[in-house]
Amino acid sequence: QVQLVESGGGLVQPGGSLRLSCAASGFTFSNYAMSWVRQAPGKGLEWVSVINNGGDSRSYTDSVNGRFTISRDNAKNTLSLQMNSLKPEDTAVYYCAIWPLGVNWSPTGQGTQVTVSS
């Protein structure tokens, strides 16, 4: 079955950087667009970024555009999110997901916690 395992989160100071990874298995990774979604404490799910199956088309939510970069390695079945110039409002649990999400999508993995704080 589809398995998505996120890693790379942690505690970082404002202005710092982190690189998240997602290991995918159980499906043909290179056939699907992939996305990152986050959930801040006490808030709903927020779409962050999407990349097409070939890796040559990307989109970002306005609040992270210019600071985050999504990428993928289809040979290794991995999805990444490079996060620079982190802000406290980026604090959230980050999940990777097959795109599109679907109306009633909910996370299937454990996610990875990102905390931006001084």
Side-chain angles (χ1 to χ4, degrees), residues 32-79:
Y32 292 89
M34 296 294 297
S35 64
W36 287 97
V37 179
R38 66 185 180 185
Q39 186 165 26
K43 297 189 176 181
L45 294 164
E46 178 188 25
W47 169 77
V48 175
S49 181
V50 63
I51 187 168
N52 70 338
N53 63 319
D56 58 353
S57 180
R58 303 167 175 85
S59 292
Y60 302 92
T61 192
D62 287 348
S63 62
V64 310
N65 198 22
R67 300 188 297 119
F68 290 11
T69 302
I70 190 171
S71 62
R72 65 190 297 160
D73 185 335
N74 286 343
K76 296 182 179 179
N77 288 357
T78 58
L79 177 73

Side-chain angles (χ1 to χ4, degrees), residues 73-90:
D73 185 335
N74 286 343
K76 296 182 179 179
N77 288 357
T78 58
L79 177 73
S80 298
L81 186 68
Q82 178 66 42
M83 305 187 298
N84 298 330
S85 302
L86 282 160
K87 304 176 180 180
E89 51 264 44
D90 295 318

Side-chain angles (χ1 to χ4, degrees), residues 10-18 67-68 83-91 114-118:
L11 173 64
V12 63
Q13 292 186 342
S17 298
L18 282 174
R67 300 188 297 119
F68 290 11
M83 305 187 298
N84 298 330
S85 302
L86 282 160
K87 304 176 180 180
E89 51 264 44
D90 295 318
T91 295
V114 171
T115 303
V116 185
S117 175
S118 55

